[in-house]
Amino acid sequence: MTVLAHRTDTLTRDALAVLQPGFEGTTAPAWLLRRVAEGLTSVGLFGRNVASPEQLAALTAQLRAERDDVLVAIDEEGGDVTRLEVRGGSSFPGNLALGAVDDTDLTRRVARELGRRLADCGVNLDWAPSADVNSNPDNPVIGVRSFGADTALAARHTAAYVEGLQAAGVAACTKHFPGHGDTSVDSHHALPRIDVDLETLAVRELVPFRAAIEAGTKAVMSAHILVPALDPTRPATLSPQVLTGLLRKELGYEGLIVTDGMEMNAIAGTYGIERGSVLAIAAGADAICVGGGLADEATVLRLRDALVAAVHEGALPEERLADAAARVRALAEWTRSVRPAPAVPGAPEGGAPGIGLEAARRALLVSGGGRGPVPDPYVATLAPVANIAVGDETPWGVAAELAALVPGTGAGVYPEGSAAGDVLAAAGGRTVVAVVRDAHRHPWMAEVLDALVAARPETVVVEMGLPRAEPRGALYIATHGAARVCGRAAAEVIARG
């Protein structure tokens, strides 16, 4: 082999190594297995790839038959954002519920048990936890995915989550650096901008990331957000000032830097995924996440070739690409060599309710009630459009869980445009249980709730998003998230008093 051919082969393998692509289906397609054998070191999984734990374990075994150290990543936050249980809802409450309890040992145990289940299925990199401080309650994409609006609370629970997840042998990927909590725009749709000064960033946004780094997080995910105080022209994912200057040099982070999904419109709509990927690696990122929307071989080859061409053209230093690929391979080696801790006490065995339901019960905020079970309930779910990170394929609410406890429970789903009269007509003489999600962000929801409570003072209100409004209804329950176990915990209160 000539020197030029050897260099080209090395560049191609390094370019493949820095990609974290997705794919369609519940088995690994032939093209993906071929690219793994050629040097692709990471694969990203999404809800479409998961049917059952057994199927997922078989899928990851397919990948490891080609490369035993392959990184298999998934976006499994627990709570509202679940891929492992995308069809039924999560067995674990999300970050806001854990923050509401504020027991770091509980957070650590929940994360370790979630990590154990991922590891049992062959997943070894989790794009979690969210370390964002939810300082803007109108944030359309973070909300209950944050541990809360208190910086110190978010920091201590981020660290506990990282420790618990990695004790199970699954690498944590703390996100979304340098902090997505103070945004009013979803980066899936457009480029958010955070106009705060450096001092505010230092004492608010960066504190949980410092805690995650001190806890040993193996990966950090960048945010597609513009922070003019750090870089007035480029979003964090593409900014050398943010990724190399701040994260590497100032914070001293040495692990893997992963981008958020490059086909998100904040990047794809402005830079395009090929140029965006080159700029991200040049800025200091080590792994390119893509596949939430573009999940085919052609995308992988386009990005591989764009990176190789950028090196040849001088737009991307060859040593920067080699360094990024080396960091990916180092994390892959860590996941192969780590020895997971034992299962968490209280994990669901032999009929035990499990650590997730324990946490969901402890997270409930309940006011009113006290008169015993709610009689003859009718569950009216006031349903907003789900954000892309959560997805609309995962069921949520209390209807199914309450029906399991109270046979004959009625139910209906009411989207924007519905009126209180629609609910009352369907409920008849039954007790209305109005279930909402971020009512403070949806004026129509608040209007329907007010009308229901005025017409039927015995109405029960269940808030499964961020509880911002004053409690209303004869019984008010805030679950701090819409995971299945949160619905179960709320249903228990409604059914039993």
Side-chain angles (χ1 to χ4, degrees), residues 236-261:
T237 294
L238 312 183
S239 171
Q241 292 95 311
V242 174
L243 298 188
T244 299
L246 177 58
L247 184 53
R248 289 281 187 223
K249 294 181 180 178
E250 185 174 334
L251 301 188
Y253 176 65
E254 293 295 332
L256 190 75
I257 300 177
V258 183
T259 73
D260 207 344

Side-chain angles (χ1 to χ4, degrees), residues 342-392:
V344 175
E349 296 175 359
I355 186 68
L357 183 54
E358 174 196 333
R361 287 168 174 163
R362 291 177 61 185
L364 291 182
L365 172 65
V366 181
S367 62
R371 296 189 298 271
V374 172
D376 196 14
Y378 176 83
V379 180
T381 304
L382 309 185
V385 176
N387 73 56
I388 293 175
V390 173
D392 58 9

